[in-house]
Amino acid sequence: MTPKSPPAVRGRGNLVVFTSPGGGVGLTTLMAMCGLAISKRAVSCALMDADLRGGGLGVLLGIEHEPGLTLQDLNAPLGHIEGNALNHELPQWEDMRVLAHAPWLGEDPDEWELQAAVKALCESNDLVLVDAGRGDALRTIPELAMARQIVAVELSALGMARVRSHLALLSQARNRAPNPPSTSDGDRADTGIAADDPPLVVGVEPRGATKRSASSSVALREAIERFGDEALGPLRCDPALCADIMNGLGIRSVPKSARQVVDELADRIVDPTPPPRTARHRAPKTKTRRSRS
């Protein structure tokens, strides 16, 4: 039996979808680190890979050889999967159930199988974090479209330009999604999907950016001005973590450089009440050279 969910988790739905306007931002890593932070809060958390273009969550976590089901193994007769039974068949990573996508092992699941998996995980876990890549699955899976949205944005001129069309895609997918009936306690029936909340944007520092670069600071300030309390960052790339992932060692812990942003993201997911804005957004200080007289 899973521990009782905190009221904020139950009240806002227990499905959270991570997307990004482009690849290579570190979206899957962000989701996994967020899961690590949330699991320390006595909340049972499951991770799901709905990035049908790429997949590879199991590889990134270093559990690709562990026994258990992947999306390719799903079987949903009549479009239904029993939640506890699915949980029991999934591999674990750091006490979290993981439903990975391995397209090199077989065909992609059908839409109704993916939808049934989302519902089953929501039934049997306090929180379900879904990596939906660039958001393709949101066009066909209403539960994903209506869930709480986390958007990872590269803090660069190109990243800030791409996020506009991406947010429009999320809005269009949500507007097209049918609204399931509500239960007596206000939650969406069967799915745990959330209310119509604005996306929470996480600014990610571009890989290879120098410590003295001011571009991410400028982009973060722009993101804060545009999204207000729905912007967090900057999330910096950790060389040691990148090396572990590239060598197939997985994610051992949340690096110190990312801990503040990841913990704040986890707090916002579990307890959605934001702290005062002045205490949250602190853009990195940039050094200026004094001219010699």
Side-chain angles (χ1 to χ4, degrees):
M1 180 178 295
T2 59
K4 188 175 181 180
S5 306
V9 173
R10 296 198 312 273
R12 284 167 56 94
N14 64 339
L15 183 61
V16 183
V17 175
F18 289 68
T19 61
S20 177
V25 177
L27 179 70
T28 308
T29 303
L30 172 62
M31 181 190 74
M33 292 192 300
C34 186
L36 280 176
I38 288 174
S39 64
K40 295 179 181 179
R41 291 159 168 76
V43 177
S44 69
C45 187
L47 306 180
M48 179 175 175
D49 190 351
D51 181 7
L52 300 185
R53 288 194 194 186
L57 175 60
V59 177
L60 182 138
L61 299 178
I63 62 169
E64 72 273 20
H65 299 303
E66 296 291 327
L69 296 180
T70 66
L71 280 181
Q72 282 65 35
D73 304 315
L74 290 181
N75 182 22
L78 302 178
H80 177 75
I81 299 176
E82 205 279 323
N84 290 331
L86 178 60
N87 255 12
H88 183 71
E89 295 295 332
L90 294 179
Q92 292 190 55
W93 176 71
E94 301 293 340
D95 295 325
M96 287 178 280
R97 305 288 179 176
V98 179
L99 180 55
H101 177 44
W104 51 89
L105 296 180
E107 297 181 356
D108 291 344
D110 292 314
E111 292 177 7
W112 66 84
E113 292 174 326
L114 189 61
Q115 187 175 30
V118 170
K119 291 181 179 181
L121 289 176
C122 287
E123 289 173 3
S124 52
N125 297 277
D126 292 338
L127 272 174
V128 180
L129 308 184
V130 179
D131 175 5
R134 299 187 184 184
D136 294 339
L138 276 67
R139 296 187 176 97
T140 56
I141 309 299
E143 289 76 11
L144 298 182
M146 295 300 296
R148 282 183 282 171
Q149 304 292 331
I150 310 296
V151 178
V153 180
E154 183 181 80
L155 292 174
S156 65
L158 180 59
M160 295 304 296
R162 285 175 171 172
V163 72
R164 298 184 182 186
S165 59
H166 184 75
L167 293 178
L169 179 150
L170 298 182
S171 178
Q172 291 170 4
R174 174 162 289 182
N175 290 336
R176 288 196 300 263
N179 288 329
S182 298
T183 60
S184 58
D185 60 1
D187 287 341
R188 301 298 180 97
D190 299 326
T191 63
I193 56 183
D196 189 12
D197 299 325
L200 181 60
V201 176
V202 180
V204 181
E205 194 171 76
R207 295 183 184 181
T210 63
K211 292 183 179 180
R212 300 179 65 179
S213 173
S215 59
S216 62
S217 303
V218 174
L220 178 59
R221 283 195 292 270
E222 181 182 343
I224 291 171
E225 291 175 359
R226 183 181 302 176
F227 305 112
D229 285 331
E230 305 306 325
L232 301 177
L235 184 67
R236 293 186 171 89
C237 178
D238 183 81
L241 176 61
C242 292
D244 283 347
I245 292 174
M246 291 179 64
N247 291 323
L249 300 178
I251 301 174
R252 305 182 187 186
S253 63
V254 179
K256 185 177 180 180
S257 60
R259 201 167 297 157
Q260 180 178 349
V261 176
V262 171
D263 283 344
E264 189 169 0
L265 176 59
D267 289 341
R268 291 294 303 274
I269 290 175
V270 175
D271 182 2
T273 304
R277 181 175 176 178
T278 55
R280 297 179 62 244
H281 300 300
R282 296 180 180 176
K285 295 181 179 179
T286 57
K287 297 181 180 179
T288 57
R289 295 182 180 177
R290 295 182 179 178
S291 58
R292 296 181 179 177
S293 56

